[in-house]
Amino acid sequence: MDKFRMMFQFLQSNQESFMNGICGIMALASAQLYSAFEFSCPCIPEYNYAYGIGLLVIPPIWFFLLGFVLNNNVSMLAEEWKRPTGKRVKDPTILRYMFVSITQRSLIAPMVWISVTLMDGKSFLCAFSVNLDIRQFGNSTLIEGMTEVEIVKLLAKIPCKNIFDQPEVISREAASRYIKCISQAFGWVFLLMMTLAAFMIRAIRPCFTQAAFLKTKYWSHYVDIERKLFDETCKEHAKTFAKVCIQQYFESISGDMHSFHKHRSSKDDSDDDDDDKKKSDEDKLLGIRDQDNMNKVLWNWHTCKPPLALRKEHPDGESHEGLILNGDVSGVSEGPNGYPNRHAPDLPKREWAVYYSKV
């Protein structure tokens, strides 16, 4: 149980590895689901095509949507897209990078399903058996005496071995092999195209947009980490808020909580421990001790996130937003001596001694 908990914590801390594992599990699940699926072609001209193409298209769409549902970054993407601008400008490149990353992972399981389905060939045989040229695989003398409707019904029964009742008219085995061969050819072409597309994306993208790619990758990671840290901070604040609220409730009910039967020394030690605990709780509360203030903080975080410009903390406790880079002073006015205000160096002062004589 401890090993499972450690592995789960590792996957939670490493979001990329966790999502890659989910994609791999979904790909294996799609292959196993197809192998366990009982394929039953209706063998009716009006329904063969719909059933075969539906089996090839609908499950990949379901796997694609399931990949979006299982991806935790979808909610973060929607939140970043719909949030008010406030003091932080929304970058469309970051949203596009996040959407492309989610889409790439969600496409793995559908690609596996389509590849396995085409390699197997049953759905392709069911969908296109009625389009087969019967004269290439059938007895031409017997086919000439059949109507067009009878030929279509006969071709629709090719996928169904149990109900195919006219082997003397057409060779079912030869027709099935022919259509499955075409299906496997389409499967290999599909795999080759997907592999080439992935290779081109991996190989060409860094050659042209490496700087932009690094920027969007960095800020997408920042958005993810910021959300996690904000959630952790809210959980820690809620835990401390509940703890202090419960303690104050019991203190108000029971009155004085100190026990007088203990020695004075032990009482002093316990008082010191209580002061340390209260101090640590005050630090975790971050100065927010009211429900209305907490609601205001949460509302402001949603409507107006802080700008991505950190303030430099000085030893005197003041935070200056002015930034000096290569001699350029931003946000700070210069004084009369050429130095920026509040940043003038302390020049050494000379002391003079003056003696007066009464003579």
Side-chain angles (χ1 to χ4, degrees):
M1 190 65 184
D2 294 337
K3 293 182 179 180
F4 177 77
R5 187 182 297 107
M6 292 175 60
M7 183 177 65
F8 183 73
Q9 291 176 355
F10 171 75
L11 292 176
Q12 279 187 330
S13 61
N14 195 340
Q15 182 72 14
E16 187 173 359
S17 299
F18 179 73
M19 293 313 304
N20 291 335
I22 290 294
C23 294
I25 292 174
M26 288 182 60
L28 293 176
S30 63
Q32 291 293 328
L33 183 62
Y34 182 83
S35 62
F37 177 74
E38 184 179 356
F39 185 84
S40 299
C41 184
C43 296
I44 300 175
E46 293 81 7
Y47 301 105
N48 277 17
Y49 182 81
Y51 182 82
I53 297 300
L55 185 65
L56 187 65
V57 174
I58 294 178
I61 296 175
W62 178 76
F63 277 112
F64 180 73
L65 297 177
L66 185 62
F68 272 82
V69 172
L70 296 179
N71 199 316
N72 295 328
N73 294 330
V74 174
S75 59
M76 181 178 63
L77 175 63
E79 179 183 350
E80 186 68 17
W81 178 44
K82 294 296 294 183
R83 71 170 176 85
T85 302
K87 297 181 180 179
R88 184 182 301 181
V89 180
K90 291 186 285 188
D91 192 352
T93 58
I94 299 176
L95 301 177
R96 185 165 56 248
Y97 173 82
M98 296 169 62
F99 178 77
V100 170
S101 300
I102 296 171
T103 305
Q104 287 177 352
R105 290 188 173 96
S106 301
L107 283 173
I108 296 177
M111 289 173 55
V112 172
W113 178 273
I114 295 175
S115 302
V116 173
T117 305
L118 290 175
M119 290 298 181
D120 187 63
K122 292 180 181 179
S123 64
F124 200 85
L125 175 63
C126 181
F128 296 100
S129 62
V130 295
N131 299 327
L132 187 67
D133 188 4
I134 194 173
R135 293 174 179 82
Q136 295 181 358
F137 306 97
N139 190 345
S140 58
T141 58
L142 296 176
I143 294 173
E144 291 177 357
M146 300 176 63
T147 62
E148 189 68 24
V149 177
E150 292 176 347
I151 293 175
V152 172
K153 289 183 178 180
L154 179 62
L155 292 175
K157 295 179 181 179
I158 291 178
C160 305
K161 183 178 180 180
N162 298 329
I163 64 175
F164 187 77
D165 53 357
Q166 293 179 327
E168 67 279 358
V169 179
I170 184 174
S171 176
R172 178 189 172 277
E173 188 67 24
S176 300
R177 286 178 178 269
Y178 176 74
I179 297 178
K180 287 184 177 181
C181 179
I182 297 176
S183 177
Q184 291 176 0
F186 277 111
W188 283 113
V189 170
F190 176 77
L191 284 177
L192 181 61
M193 291 176 59
M194 292 298 103
T195 306
L196 287 176
F199 172 76
M200 297 295 287
I201 293 174
R202 289 277 186 174
I204 295 179
R205 181 177 60 182
C207 298
F208 296 96
T209 58
Q210 183 65 18
F213 172 72
L214 292 176
K215 184 189 73 171
T216 53
K217 186 177 181 180
Y218 172 85
W219 288 113
S220 64
H221 288 330
Y222 171 83
V223 172
D224 186 21
I225 294 172
E226 183 189 55
R227 185 188 182 190
K228 291 179 180 178
L229 291 178
F230 183 78
D231 292 341
E232 292 176 0
T233 305
C234 289
K235 290 179 181 178
E236 187 67 25
H237 186 277
K239 181 179 179 180
T240 307
F241 191 88
K243 178 182 176 181
V244 175
C245 184
I246 293 173
Q247 287 178 351
Q248 291 181 357
Y249 170 76
F250 278 100
E251 288 177 358
S252 63
I253 294 297
S254 60
D256 190 8
M257 300 296 295
H258 295 286
S259 56
F260 295 99
H261 63 277
K262 295 183 179 180
H263 295 288
R264 182 66 181 178
S265 59
S266 62
K267 181 179 178 180
D268 294 338
D269 294 339
S270 63
D271 291 341
D272 294 338
D273 295 338
D274 293 339
D275 292 339
D276 295 337
K277 290 180 180 179
K278 290 181 180 180
K279 186 177 181 180
S280 62
D281 292 338
E282 289 292 338
D283 295 337
K284 292 179 181 179
L285 286 175
L286 302 175
I288 303 173
R289 305 175 59 86
D290 186 70
Q291 182 180 4
D292 295 335
N293 292 334
M294 192 64 207
N295 292 335
K296 186 182 297 184
V297 168
L298 297 176
W299 176 257
N300 291 337
W301 177 261
H302 171 69
T303 57
C304 186
K305 287 189 177 181
L308 298 176
L310 302 180
R311 299 187 301 271
K312 185 176 181 181
E313 299 291 339
H314 288 264
D316 56 355
E318 296 181 357
S319 60
H320 305 291
E321 297 181 358
L323 183 62
I324 303 176
L325 292 177
N326 297 328
D328 184 18
V329 182
S330 174
V332 182
S333 61
E334 292 186 356
N337 297 327
Y339 297 105
N341 290 334
R342 299 181 300 172
H343 293 281
D346 296 333
L347 297 177
K349 297 181 181 180
R350 297 181 179 180
E351 296 181 359
W352 298 87
V354 181
Y355 299 94
Y356 296 93
S357 176
K358 295 183 179 180
V359 179

